[in-house]
Structures are given as structure tokens and as C-alpha cells.
Amino acid sequence: MNLADFLFYVFAVITLVSAFFVVTFKNIIYSAFSLLLTFLGVAGIYVLLGADFIAIVQVIVYVGGILILILFGVMLTNKIQNVPIKTEASFIIPASITIGAFGGILVSTFINTRWKSMPAELANSTLTDVGHLLMNEYILIFELLGILLLVALVGAASIARKQ
Amino acid sequence: MTSIGLQHYLVVSSILFSLGLFGIVTRKNAVMVLMGIELILNSANINFVAFARYGNFGFDGQLIALFVVILAAAEAAVALAIVLNIYKNFSTVNVDEIDKLKE
């Protein structure tokens, strides 16, 4: 087993174990911090797939942005002083059975399908190609996403502010 | 033990998807539901990048993954603003107790 395979198993175990803790911890703060490990594990998987730019974006946007937003959401919506930050869960047994069956079908389908696999040569850095595509073929989507982010920013501020 | 291929990544992403779905279905706190959605978006992204790597499609899959990350950021901002507003009006963020659109 070479180093890349070993690293894949390390990152896969980090991702899946911390994702399991995200959905099972009673305390929502612990869930949010497990989510940090999940995002970092997914970033490691992107690196192993040769997508270095996506991995960096994952670390910056998810860990630096979305997770901070979620932590703010947790702290602003729970009465921290008098009530412990617990979240209730419901329908655990039927949900485990249904989603266990669903996940089993999904995994067995993925394993039993004969995928045509022809991996491309790994480039040194994907940055140049991603930049060229972003500025040529995908320029319209790129600009639209800029407008979308502006609209989301204004909308979120106007929804959340005091009347 | 076989070397790591496309199937390994697909299995990881499908387990991540199932866990996110489990979180959405079972937890009552609206912020926890959001975390489940983030897990599902991440698992979809792993699929995009894995197929881009092993399917020899060039960099299109990686760009779609990039767009998904941007959309997830916009979605998280708006959703948390809505959750804050719900908390202001109902003093709770449990999704099963919020059954009115307007007071």
C-alpha cells in the first residue's frame, strides 16, 4: 500500500467518523466543531483527487466562512445561560432503518457498477486551467455568481436586521 | 487490497450523503438541519471532483464543484438570517414547533 492510498484511508476515516459525530452529538456546539473536522477531511480528499484549488477554496470558504456563520447562528439562537445547549432528536429508529437501507443500496450500486475509469495524468497545478475556463467558457456563470452573492448579502442583512 | 479507484471515493461520498440525510430527518434544531445540508453538498462535491479525475472530462467537474461551494455560502447566509428572524419571533428554532407563517 503506497502513501496516497494510506492517506486516502486516513482522510476517509476522519471525514466519516466526524460526520457521524455531527449528526449524533447531543450538544450542538460539539456538532459544529466536528463539522470542522469533516470539512478538513473533505479538503484532504480533494487534494488526493488532484484538485488543489478546490481544496483551498473548501478550507477558506467552508471552514473560514460557513462554519463561523453556523457558530454565530448557534450562539445567537440558544439561551446559553440558563438552558444547556441540547438539541432533541426524533424518529431515530425508523430513520436509522430507512436511511441504513437507502445507504446500503447506494453503496452496493456504486460497488457493483462497472465504472469506466481512465484517470488523466495529474497536472502539477490546476490553477492555470481552472482560471482559463473560468474566464472563457464559464464567464457568464462567473458573473452571475457574483451578482448572486451580492443579492444574498443584501438579502441576508435586510432579513436579519432589527425593524 | 486493491489500489484506490473511483469506487472508493463514491462509497465515501454515499456514506456522507446518508449521514447528512439522517441529520436532516432526525434533528429538531434548524441549525442542525443546515449542517446536514452542508454534509450533503460536500458529498455531491466529492462525486463531481472524483468523476472529473477518473472520467477524463477535463476540469469541468472541478468548476461545478467550485460553483456548488459558492452557492452553499450564499445559502448558509440567507438561511441563518431566516433562522435568526424565526428565533426573534418564536423564541425557539425547533422546526417542529414553528407552524405559523405570520403571527
Side-chain angles (χ1 to χ4, degrees):
Chain A
M1 188 152 65
N2 60 23
L3 184 64
D5 293 3
F6 175 71
L7 281 178
F8 169 78
Y9 285 111
V10 170
F11 284 127
V13 166
I14 288 176
T15 307
L16 294 181
V17 169
S18 61
F20 179 75
F21 284 141
V22 168
V23 295
T24 51
F25 267 143
K26 284 271 179 285
N27 190 325
I28 192 168
I29 294 281
Y30 292 168
S31 296
F33 280 107
S34 314
L35 201 60
L36 170 78
L37 277 180
T38 311
F39 289 156
L40 288 179
V42 173
I45 288 178
Y46 291 158
V47 171
L48 289 178
L49 282 168
D52 49 353
F53 183 63
I54 310 293
I56 299 295
V57 167
Q58 165 94 2
V59 171
I60 292 176
V61 174
Y62 266 105
V63 179
I66 296 179
L67 199 65
I68 302 295
L69 267 180
I70 286 180
L71 276 174
F72 266 106
V74 171
M75 289 176 191
L76 291 174
T77 56
N78 284 284
K79 305 183 194 75
I80 293 184
Q81 273 91 7
N82 33 22
V83 187
I85 320 171
K86 294 279 162 61
T87 61
E88 298 153 80
S90 53
F91 307 119
I92 289 187
I93 294 169
S96 317
I97 296 170
T98 318
I99 292 171
F102 172 74
I105 291 171
L106 211 56
V107 169
S108 69
T109 312
F110 277 147
I111 288 180
N112 291 326
T113 308
R114 299 175 135 268
W115 299 101
K116 200 167 88 177
S117 169
M118 24 178 202
E121 283 293 308
L122 272 184
N124 266 337
S125 163
T126 62
L127 205 54
T128 321
D129 300 292
V130 168
H132 277 302
L133 274 180
L134 212 52
M135 279 294 127
N136 291 311
E137 284 179 42
Y138 289 94
I139 182 75
L140 180 64
I141 303 179
F142 183 72
E143 298 290 337
L144 282 179
L145 281 174
I147 297 173
L148 175 92
L149 281 177
L150 178 69
V151 171
L153 178 73
V154 175
S158 88
I159 290 173
R161 76 176 171 171
K162 291 199 168 61
Q163 303 299 329
Chain B
M1 190 175 285
T2 57
S3 76
I4 302 297
L6 179 59
Q7 289 173 339
H8 294 75
Y9 293 99
L10 295 181
V11 167
V12 168
S13 90
S14 60
I15 296 175
L16 200 60
F17 182 89
S18 306
L19 284 172
L21 204 58
F22 183 79
I24 291 179
V25 171
T26 57
R27 308 307 288 273
K28 288 184 179 175
N29 194 313
V31 182
M32 275 306 303
V33 175
L34 262 181
M35 291 190 207
I37 292 174
E38 302 296 342
L39 288 185
I40 286 183
L41 286 173
N42 266 295
S43 80
N45 257 354
I46 292 179
N47 266 14
F48 275 126
V49 179
F51 278 116
R53 166 90 174 82
Y54 288 99
N56 214 351
F57 295 129
F59 291 97
D60 291 353
Q62 294 195 14
L63 277 173
I64 303 291
L66 187 66
F67 298 149
V68 170
V69 171
I70 297 170
L71 285 177
E75 166 254 325
V78 174
L80 282 168
I82 294 173
V83 168
L84 283 187
N85 235 359
I86 288 173
Y87 183 71
K88 217 161 31 186
N89 287 333
F90 295 95
S91 307
T92 179
V93 285
N94 283 356
V95 286
D96 56 340
E97 293 169 35
I98 303 159
D99 49 5
K100 283 196 287 275
L101 282 176
K102 194 164 183 268
E103 280 181 294

